[in-house]
Amino acid sequence: MQIGIGIWAFVVYILFVMFWYLGLKRTIAEAMFLGMIIACAFNGINQIPATLASSFTDAIQENVMAAIILFTVMASIMTKTGIINHLVNILNSLLGRVRGGPAYVSACASGLFGMVASASSANSATVGSITVLWMLESGWPKDVAATMNTGNADLGICGPAASSLFLMLSFAPIAQAVSYGDLYLPLLCGAFWALAYRLLVVRYMYRNTRFPLCPARRKN
């Protein structure tokens, strides 16, 4: 079976983004934009403007694009209005006195944040800006705190409101077989399982760390 030109364009796009972002240490937005232009060149160099225009027009008509935009807007609203701070304060009142509490709060906050804003990068930036500093103050090593926050951020894309769900439902064969309501409960159970796993990871990391940890409570 021959590999289609679309697959080759996708492979080149991924390789270029990795090279530009990881190799040259440039921004991910710049890498993805230039990679998109290179991928469009597979349709003909002279056709790049037309390919960009038609691809953009087709993309904005997809349900998954609306979901991504809404999730991004919701993440911005939660950050600008300080909702995430109130969420962390509530979790702090429940878990702040528990040994290793900041890491537990990080996992729970990431899970709740992901229910309304399906973006792991936004999750890491918003929740991490509060909980990572708190973890460091309570004795967590820097590398462990960063690793924990990175892992917890993935909870932002495994809940029932994840953008990947809308992407999957945009495929005609899947949309004909199941609806959003059919998938909501199974995905919710999967999200709770992922959160439970992250809490177990926190407990394991706490019990095996070589650094003294105290149940430091976040200062509001």
Side-chain angles (χ1 to χ4, degrees):
M1 183 178 65
Q2 294 183 345
I3 300 178
I5 190 173
I7 300 298
W8 283 116
F10 178 72
V11 171
V12 171
Y13 169 80
I14 295 297
L15 293 176
F16 176 82
V17 169
M18 293 176 61
F19 166 74
W20 199 262
Y21 178 60
L22 299 177
L24 301 183
K25 307 297 182 182
R26 305 291 294 181
T27 64
I28 187 64
E30 180 181 303
M32 294 178 70
F33 176 74
L34 294 176
M36 180 176 62
I37 294 178
I38 293 175
C40 291
F42 277 78
N43 196 36
I45 296 179
N46 296 332
Q47 296 296 320
I48 290 179
T51 304
L52 281 172
S54 61
S55 299
F56 179 78
T57 301
D58 293 340
I60 61 177
Q61 297 178 16
E62 297 291 337
N63 293 333
V64 65
M65 182 60 66
I68 292 174
I69 294 174
L70 291 174
F71 284 134
T72 303
V73 171
M74 192 61 201
S76 179
I77 292 175
M78 291 185 69
T79 303
K80 296 296 184 181
T81 58
I83 293 177
I84 190 64
N85 286 278
H86 294 295
L87 173 62
V88 172
N89 287 336
I90 293 173
L91 294 172
N92 172 49
S93 65
L94 299 174
L95 302 172
R97 290 296 182 186
V98 178
R99 289 192 175 274
Y104 288 111
V105 171
S106 175
C108 293
S110 294
L112 293 174
F113 183 90
M115 297 291 287
V116 293
S118 177
S120 57
S121 57
N123 199 327
S124 177
T126 52
V127 177
S129 65
I130 302 172
T131 57
V132 169
L133 295 177
W134 184 21
M135 289 175 68
L136 296 179
E137 292 175 358
S138 62
W140 286 89
K142 292 182 180 180
D143 56 338
V144 176
T147 303
M148 293 291 292
N149 180 65
T150 303
N152 292 337
D154 288 336
L155 293 173
I157 58 175
C158 66
S163 56
S164 55
L165 167 63
F166 293 94
L167 177 62
M168 183 171 58
L169 289 176
S170 67
F171 298 131
I174 296 178
Q176 293 175 358
V178 295
S179 64
Y180 180 83
D182 297 328
L183 294 176
Y184 188 90
L185 184 58
L187 287 174
L188 185 63
C189 293
F192 280 124
W193 165 250
L195 175 59
Y197 170 75
R198 292 304 306 174
L199 294 176
L200 290 175
V201 170
V202 171
R203 179 172 175 80
Y204 173 81
M205 297 297 294
Y206 173 78
R207 292 175 62 90
N208 290 274
T209 182
R210 296 178 288 106
F211 294 79
L213 299 176
C214 61
R217 198 174 182 84
R218 178 172 178 255
K219 297 178 182 180
N220 298 323

